[in-house]
Amino acid sequence: MLEEKLTENFSSLLRENRVFPAPADFAAKAHIKSESEYEALYRRSVDDPEGFWGEAASELEWFAPWKKVLEGEFPDAKWFTDGKMNLSHNCVDRHANGALKDKVALLWEGEPGEVRKITYGELHGEVQKFANVLKNIGVKRGDRVAVYMGMCPELAIALLACARLGAIHSVVFGGFAAHAISDRVNDSACVAVITQDTSYRRGSEIKLKAIVDEALQKCTSVQHVIVYQRSGSPVNMVEGRDLWWHEAVAAASAECAPEWMDAEDPLYILYTSGTTGKPKGLVHTTGGYAVGTYLTTKYVFDLRPDDVYWCTADIGWVTGHSYVVYGPLQCGATVVMYEGAPNWPQNDRFWKIVDDHQVTVFYTAPTAIRAFIKWGDQWVKGYSLASLRLLGTVGEPINPEAWMWYHREIGKERCPIVDTYWQTETGMHVLAPIPGAIAAKPGSATKPFFGVVPEVVTKEGDPVPAGQGGLLVIRKPWPAIARTIYGDHARYVSSYFSEIPGSYFTGDGARRDEDGYFWLMGRVDDVINVSGHRLGTMEIESALVAHGKVAEAAVVGRPDEMKGQAIAAFVTLEEGVEPTDALKQELRQWVAKEIGALARPDDLRFTQMLPKTRSGKIMRRLLRELATTGTVSGDTTTLEDFGVLAKLKETDE
Ligand code: WTA
């Protein structure tokens, strides 16, 4: 599998020779001003990780000091052992009690256009009140609380309130369907759900509360549902279970001291796709995650006190956890949150927000940039964008054309671009340029962040020479790595630490060039990346076979200009079922209903059989090739039935 994927990925390698040095005026004011300064600090971080990370941690507030910065090795490394702290204290109280009390912490814009500004002082009050609401319904330290909301300040407040009490939040992205919520709620036995009536997206309302009601029919652990009133649209409130956010907050006391959390206590669970049908509930802990997100935000975004920082990611994904909530708030930034779609009411909405709020740091996904390019430069032209000083991307490799457009049309050839590579598992950026120090090469995530030791290796774990592709691993623990998969530590160990013993295996292919720059080459497992959203092909397959008319299904990713990857499904039907176009649409819709619209297959083909090896394994390489090119040229000697290929081609759309 690994080898097969690598060979495929190598054939689509990016080759890009342009280099864009950090602009001199930017570097002069940056935290880290030159490559040699980066190199020296990097060397120190690797030679003396305890000294380096201990100093970083000292920039935060601890209730009790740690005994040891780093203890143990993969997969059981522990950070800041016995140290006590609280993330809501470091995100909010630390600033509210100091010079930033009246600074805007959250600057929110709703899709219909309303704006709310919440200062650190006000946020302090809101978080304490909502923490008391949770306390009043019996939520306590260690309890799991699911959160299913749209992008609004209350979502950030909900997370911070959980963190304050030591309750473990589990955010389910608002685009997931009822079934996905119930699976996640049940997996970690959540005691409460925080949601809202509806949320606005592209002018229509997403009925979040109604979806929660449907999901909870299959959940027994949930005692309470708290509903934030966003739109006022009617919802069904279940007597004894559901309560309104505003009513509960009005009755709650204004003071709630933060719990003293152990550095290794869980902060949250976030489910992500793996190579099986069951999403993994990755568990992030308190101290190491706090320090990792704090330091990467400070250095990779070169954050300064006067920055207005906007990461467009939804808080439902890890990017929103680390770089909308925990990182920038720990840094005391003004964090912009926008509720809706980039093309509502028109394609210029993002640029209008940048100008209206004088955004200085803007962080988005390549898939969004490709959409802007498609919509045309005219949507950007009317805006000055002069407030911007740094741009970032995340989630997938950025193609050099998109990079150049971003650089020219948005950054006006003035702003450095940070291409940040990381994962739900890593918690923080692991490869990313330090903007005042590292020259950018379009399409490369450049160099490791401090303390991160990446390497490109063969299947056997041996380093490959510069310029050659291989598997991307990380050799040494870093503080923000997820510590386990909720309820399944064995799966954690086998998923990440068994492929290359002694190292963390990312699941990505990469190559390192002669200058030490890393170039990501896509996943080498069955995870696909659709519009920057991570999905497992097995999850989609399980959803398809759960439909009564489907006998077997195989799902692969194929390259797509806009989305990065598109979803191609091959389906065999139960005996006697007619393969009609109507059924095709029904099955695509079925997947959207089971998982969420983001998982709806782009292509769906019926076939009488799936190509299998003699040992019965589906030959995904052939399917990928067929989905991509419409033909198959590779080695088919292990194919069980050559006739299958001919049949697959016949049913090609
Ligand atoms: C991919 C998102 C290339 C990669 C933060 C990784 C990237 C997966 C980049 C994690 C990047 C993320 N360049 N590929 N800058 N950033 N990826 O867990 O395949 O949703 O393994 O975390 O996205 O996706 P996840």
Side-chain angles (χ1 to χ4, degrees), residues 108 138 180 191 198 216 218 256 286 383 390 392 416 449 458 460 472 489 499 514 567 587-588 617 629 631:
W108 175 81
V191 300
T198 69
L216 292 190
K218 285 190 250 151
C256 177
T286 304
Y383 295 92
L390 178 72
F449 187 74
T458 62
E460 289 70 40
L472 180 66
H489 194 64
E499 200 72 51
E514 286 71 13
I567 303 169
L587 292 179
R588 292 178 67 235
K617 278 174 61 179
T629 64
T631 58

Side-chain angles (χ1 to χ4, degrees), residues 506-573:
T506 59
D508 282 297
R511 100 187 134 84
R512 189 191 327 219
D513 70 16
E514 286 71 13
D515 300 325
Y517 280 54
F518 287 83
W519 299 78
L520 274 302
M521 291 165 16
R523 300 286 306 198
V524 295
D525 53 15
D526 289 326
V527 171
I528 56 177
N529 195 326
V530 181
S531 298
H533 295 153
R534 180 167 159 181
L535 289 166
T537 51
M538 288 277 287
E539 284 169 69
I540 306 170
E541 287 166 7
S542 316
L544 281 167
V545 293
H547 188 286
K549 292 178 181 164
V550 173
E552 216 179 1
V555 169
V556 296
R558 64 161 170 80
D560 181 89
E561 258 192 30
M562 291 302 293
K563 302 177 171 187
Q565 280 186 299
I567 303 169
F570 296 85
V571 170
T572 65
L573 296 172

Side-chain angles (χ1 to χ4, degrees), residues 107 109 115 117 308 336 352-359:
L107 196 171
E109 189 169 309
V115 171
K117 295 180 182 178
V308 177
V336 175
K352 182 164 169 18
I353 293 175
V354 168
D355 271 9
D356 284 354
H357 303 300
Q358 294 291 291
V359 171

Side-chain angles (χ1 to χ4, degrees), residues 270-273 282 317-319 323 363 366 393-398 418-426 428-429 431 443-445 472 504 506-509 519-525 527-529 532-535 565:
L270 185 59
Y271 288 83
T272 192
S273 300
L282 287 154
W317 306 104
V318 74
T319 305
Y323 298 112
Y363 187 36
T393 69
V394 58
E396 50 181 319
I398 180 164
V418 291
D419 176 351
T420 61
Y421 166 83
W422 60 297
Q423 307 176 300
T424 307
E425 291 84 346
T426 69
M428 64 181 228
H429 302 147
L431 299 174
S444 167
L472 180 66
Y504 167 81
T506 59
D508 282 297
W519 299 78
L520 274 302
M521 291 165 16
R523 300 286 306 198
V524 295
D525 53 15
V527 171
I528 56 177
N529 195 326
H533 295 153
R534 180 167 159 181
L535 289 166
Q565 280 186 299

Side-chain angles (χ1 to χ4, degrees), residues 47-159:
D47 292 346
D48 175 22
E50 296 203 42
F52 176 85
W53 288 112
E55 268 168 36
S58 306
E59 295 178 26
L60 303 175
E61 279 178 14
W62 295 75
F63 302 136
W66 56 87
K67 293 223 171 69
K68 186 122 177 58
V69 171
L70 170 61
E71 244 177 318
E73 264 302 329
F74 284 144
D76 298 310
K78 292 188 170 45
W79 289 85
F80 308 108
T81 39
D82 294 341
K84 308 278 183 221
M85 66 119 71
N86 186 295
L87 239 323
S88 95
H89 175 89
N90 272 290
C91 288
V92 185
D93 307 32
R94 192 159 61 91
H95 309 308
N97 296 334
L100 302 185
K101 179 167 182 277
D102 297 321
K103 178 176 175 174
V104 174
L106 298 175
L107 196 171
W108 175 81
E109 189 169 309
E111 194 183 73
E114 63 275 61
V115 171
R116 283 168 61 194
K117 295 180 182 178
I118 300 173
T119 64
Y120 275 98
E122 290 162 347
L123 186 61
H124 193 206
E126 296 302 320
V127 169
Q128 294 189 80
K129 273 190 267 171
F130 192 65
N132 279 327
V133 168
L134 292 173
K135 237 186 198 172
N136 292 343
I137 59 168
V139 172
K140 51 186 192 314
R141 188 174 173 138
D143 283 348
R144 278 80 51 218
V145 174
V147 182
Y148 185 69
M149 296 179 83
M151 287 292 280
C152 58
E154 282 66 22
L155 170 51
I157 291 167
L159 304 197

